[in-house]
Amino acid sequence: GLNVSVAKGDAMSAADVAAAFALAKPRIAINAIAGRGTQVGFWDTTQKNITSAAKQYGSKELIFLSSVGVGDSAVAYTPEAIE
């Protein structure tokens, strides 16, 4: 079977995300966060936190699965994240 780990925490908190990665030390991480609608800053902050923790704890691959940013949901990202 697959060796899958699940961690609870707040993806907006860099410390929570780092703690989850420190515990699981995943080779592959999947970001499929959904919800919270178009809260400006949510999507780019959570992606930054996950990407930083993945690099810090040696993940070899990071899969980002989302339709946020497509069409009318483009307002969910800050201008800095779009650049």
Side-chain angles (χ1 to χ4, degrees):
L2 296 175
N3 183 10
V4 176
S5 298
V6 176
K8 286 187 176 185
D10 183 353
M12 288 289 285
S13 164
D16 282 4
V17 175
F21 273 80
L23 180 65
K25 293 185 179 59
R27 185 177 68 80
I28 300 171
I30 301 170
N31 176 357
I33 292 177
R36 296 205 188 179
T38 59
Q39 180 181 339
V40 174
F42 174 78
W43 304 106
D44 46 334
T45 298
T46 57
Q47 182 61 24
K48 285 177 191 175
N49 291 343
I50 293 168
T51 300
S52 293
K55 287 179 181 177
Q56 181 179 358
Y57 290 98
S59 294
K60 301 298 180 198
E61 296 178 59
L62 177 57
I63 299 168
F64 181 64
L65 174 66
S66 178
S67 62
V68 174
V70 177
D72 292 339
S73 69
V75 298
Y77 285 101
T78 61
E80 296 82 15
I82 294 171
E83 292 175 10

